Amino acid sequence: MSNDRYSSPLSERYASKEMQYIFSPEKKFHTWRRLWIALAETEKELGLDITDEQIEELKAHKDDINFEVAKEREKLVRHDVMSHVYAYGVQCPKAKGIIHLGATSCYVGDNTDIILMSEALKLVRTKLINVIAELAAFADKYKALPTLAFTHFQPAQPTTVGKRATLWTQEFLMDLEDLDYVLGSLKLLGSKGTTGTQASFLELFDGDQEKIDRIDPMIAEKMGFSGCYPVSGQTYSRKVDTRVMNVVAGIAASAHKMSNDIRLLQHLKEVEEPFEKNQIGSSAMAYKRNPMRSERIASISRYVMIDALNPAITSATQWFERTLDDSANKRLSIAEGFLAIDGVLDLCLNVVDGLVVYDKVITKRLMSELPFMATENIMMDAVKKGGDRQELHERIRQLSMEAGANVKQEGLDNNLLELIAADESFGLSLEELQSAMDPSKYTGRAELQVENFLKNHVNPVLEANKDILGVKAEINV
């Protein structure tokens, strides 16, 4: 790393080596050569005058790219594709004349972009499924632990720690569904020429329409795709990039929501992200344990969500069969969007795997609010002893306000149960009231919901993908 030039934090701090390699020059130019071989093989199989010897020469040099030759050539011709055609030809003198035959620059550029996005989505998918697996294990472990739920970040009816984790998990499952749909629908551009009309192939194949119809399917099969987009201009529709980055942005939104909840829970001292032995929370306040990883998830996720606008605007502003104002933007937005979401998912894996739950703090907070939430049950018990429901409702409302004022204005503990026990109209002792304060009575079907959700929705996904489970993330900082 040079200290006198800008270096992207995505590479230095956040993204994995695997994701960085997918968008590396080496990966791109190796893919170009695979595409040139697929094109030459297809043209040979369809009857053009291309020899086995030429194909073998291309294959012999598909991995040992002469980057310096291409770099020097590009200084002269100012065209990256033709520079690499030239460099490949230097290594393959017998095949020189048939490299890139009938194709335009987008044949290698656009098909490679689809291939790289496909591979990047597969890496994202692997990490996303592992995040889901870790969340599922967490939800199952704490499915029965009652906790205070919040609406509007105000105390609401209790839920369980595990049930709350299923809310995060469900959103990631939605993202997985979207990812699988988009990944499964990705197609190659194929080889359609300068405006998508395949005019050059009419010349090469003397107008043989049947042979020309076979070119794209044959190339797609050789490159491991189900097919090519049926029509195009010079490029594949930039709407494809929009669909891909919307999936990535959706994952970022789910991660952001989860990280926000964890940050709030850490403030409440109920749940805490992993904090290493030598980690420093604050340079000034030695006691601090900041949720820095969850904060970083939120921070990078915002970048990803906003980045999804780039391909959308590019798609909307393409003119006719193509315009080159997509190129520089696409070069940045696609790669960096994937590097960023890769960093987010590594952080999610790290945080969820090490979440610490402080059950005593959780229970203490819940018990301080539970008397308010138990008033309906208390009122019913009093009615069974002969009380008047309407009178009891008004009385319990007044006592609740008095207890609330004691808590908020006087800083005292919640004494609602004591106030009710002292009121003869309820006919209930403090012991009877306290026996009703079992938090599990007020969590509804939360535990069962967790079990059903995991059994019916999560476990089938994990079972179907068991060969890619077990991924652990190493974060750089």
Side-chain angles (χ1 to χ4, degrees):
M1 173 183 168
S2 173
N3 291 318
D4 60 353
R5 285 177 292 174
Y6 174 77
S7 180
S8 171
L10 291 172
S11 296
E12 295 298 332
R13 297 172 70 90
Y14 306 135
S16 67
K17 290 181 175 65
E18 293 84 357
M19 188 62 82
Q20 290 184 58
Y21 178 73
I22 289 172
F23 291 98
S24 68
E26 183 175 319
K27 175 71 171 175
K28 178 172 79 170
F29 296 127
H30 276 98
T31 306
W32 282 14
R33 291 198 170 186
R34 286 177 55 218
L35 283 160
W36 279 320
I37 293 168
L39 178 63
E41 286 181 325
T42 297
E43 290 173 336
K44 177 185 181 297
E45 289 162 16
L46 292 174
L48 291 192
D49 187 17
I50 296 172
T51 67
D52 288 336
E53 187 179 21
Q54 288 173 314
I55 298 292
E56 289 308 311
E57 188 179 50
L58 291 176
K59 288 182 176 178
H61 293 284
K62 66 182 175 66
D63 295 324
D64 58 330
I65 300 174
N66 46 351
F67 286 104
E68 287 305 316
V69 174
K71 188 175 180 181
E72 287 303 311
R73 185 69 176 175
E74 189 170 0
K75 289 179 182 177
L76 180 66
V77 300
R78 304 292 181 191
H79 196 288
D80 57 350
V81 173
M82 293 313 296
S83 300
H84 276 267
V85 169
Y86 173 83
Y88 205 5
V90 168
Q91 291 176 311
C92 305
K94 294 172 185 173
K96 177 181 176 182
I98 58 98
I99 299 170
H100 198 67
L101 185 60
T104 187
S105 299
C106 289
Y107 169 68
V108 286
D110 273 33
N111 284 315
T112 294
D113 285 349
I114 294 287
I115 291 166
L116 299 187
M117 287 194 294
S118 175
E119 292 195 20
L121 281 173
K122 288 172 185 174
L123 180 56
V124 167
R125 185 180 189 276
T126 294
K127 293 185 178 183
L128 179 59
I129 286 171
N130 277 272
V131 170
I132 290 168
E134 288 190 354
L135 278 171
F138 180 86
D140 187 52
K141 182 176 181 180
Y142 295 104
K143 62 188 176 184
L145 179 58
T147 188
L148 185 61
F150 294 94
T151 58
H152 318 275
F153 204 21
Q154 303 299 312
Q157 281 194 333
T159 185
T160 68
V161 172
K163 170 63 194 296
R164 179 176 282 144
T166 64
L167 304 183
W168 306 332
T169 314
Q170 181 171 253
E171 292 196 352
F172 284 123
L173 276 178
M174 293 179 191
D175 296 323
L176 179 63
E177 290 172 359
D178 292 345
L179 189 156
D180 282 343
Y181 176 76
V182 170
L183 181 59
S185 68
L186 278 182
K187 296 178 174 63
L188 292 181
L189 168 69
S191 190
K192 294 188 173 68
T194 54
T195 60
T197 64
Q198 293 181 301
S200 59
F201 292 102
L202 277 173
E203 294 293 323
L204 282 173
F205 289 96
D206 298 321
D208 190 329
Q209 303 287 0
E210 186 180 342
K211 285 185 177 180
I212 297 168
D213 282 341
R214 293 171 62 191
I215 293 172
D216 278 1
M218 290 172 72
I219 290 171
E221 185 179 0
K222 292 179 194 302
M223 300 306 296
F225 280 75
S226 63
C228 298
Y229 291 107
V231 294
S232 73
Q234 187 176 101
T235 68
Y236 66 77
S237 168
R238 296 315 186 213
K239 189 120 186 145
V240 176
D241 298 344
T242 308
R243 295 173 77 191
V244 169
M245 291 311 295
N246 280 343
V247 169
V248 172
I251 297 169
S254 302
H256 196 299
K257 189 269 191 284
M258 180 182 75
S259 72
N260 273 3
D261 285 354
I262 292 171
R263 291 161 68 191
L264 292 168
L265 288 168
Q266 186 150 335
H267 165 78
L268 297 173
K269 296 183 174 63
E270 293 190 5
V271 175
E272 195 169 73
E273 69 173 38
F275 193 91
E276 294 172 15
K277 184 175 67 173
N278 296 318
Q279 184 175 327
I280 295 172
S282 166
S283 61
M285 294 166 279
Y287 59 87
K288 290 196 79 181
R289 292 167 69 98
N290 299 334
M292 52 162 280
R293 297 176 205 186
S294 296
E295 289 170 325
R296 192 182 302 158
I297 290 171
S299 184
I300 305 174
S301 291
R302 285 201 298 273
Y303 174 85
V304 177
M305 287 185 279
I306 292 169
D307 188 50
L309 280 174
N310 277 305
I313 294 170
T314 296
S315 171
T317 55
Q318 284 291 285
W319 297 352
F320 301 118
E321 281 66 45
R322 94 144 309 171
T323 175
L324 200 61
D325 63 338
D326 64 335
S327 179
N329 185 293
K330 179 175 164 63
R331 212 177 281 249
L332 292 166
S333 61
I334 302 299
E336 295 195 353
F338 271 111
L339 263 62
I341 200 63
D342 183 67
V344 166
L345 287 170
D346 277 350
L347 286 163
C348 288
L349 285 168
N350 179 269
V351 167
V352 176
D353 184 47
L355 279 179
V356 181
V357 174
Y358 295 109
D359 55 337
K360 290 183 173 59
V361 177
I362 289 170
T363 301
K364 182 180 179 182
R365 175 167 288 106
L366 177 57
M367 295 308 294
S368 72
E369 298 286 347
L370 197 61
F372 293 125
M373 296 158 195
T375 52
E376 179 72 16
N377 292 37
I378 291 170
M379 194 164 54
M380 291 303 101
D381 289 342
V383 169
K384 288 176 186 176
K385 291 200 170 191
D388 182 287
R389 188 195 183 285
Q390 298 305 316
E391 291 178 9
L392 290 171
H393 183 278
E394 175 57 24
R395 189 68 192 128
I396 211 164
R397 186 186 70 82
Q398 294 172 353
L399 294 176
S400 295
M401 292 177 66
E402 183 180 341
N406 288 337
V407 171
K408 288 186 275 190
Q409 296 175 17
E410 305 298 331
L412 303 174
D413 289 337
N414 185 348
N415 67 335
L416 179 59
L417 297 183
E418 286 80 1
L419 293 173
I420 293 172
D423 191 312
E424 294 181 358
S425 59
F426 286 91
L428 294 168
S429 68
L430 183 59
E431 289 74 22
E432 288 175 306
L433 291 168
Q434 287 173 334
S435 69
M437 294 300 107
D438 177 1
S440 63
K441 291 181 179 178
Y442 302 95
T443 58
R445 299 179 70 241
E447 182 178 355
L448 182 62
Q449 284 180 340
V450 174
E451 291 173 354
N452 288 341
F453 175 68
L454 296 179
K455 177 184 175 182
N456 299 324
H457 300 279
V458 180
N459 292 343
V461 171
L462 300 182
E463 177 61 27
N465 293 279
K466 59 186 176 184
D467 56 321
I468 57 172
L469 294 177
V471 172
K472 299 295 180 183
E474 288 185 21
I475 57 174
N476 297 325
V477 289

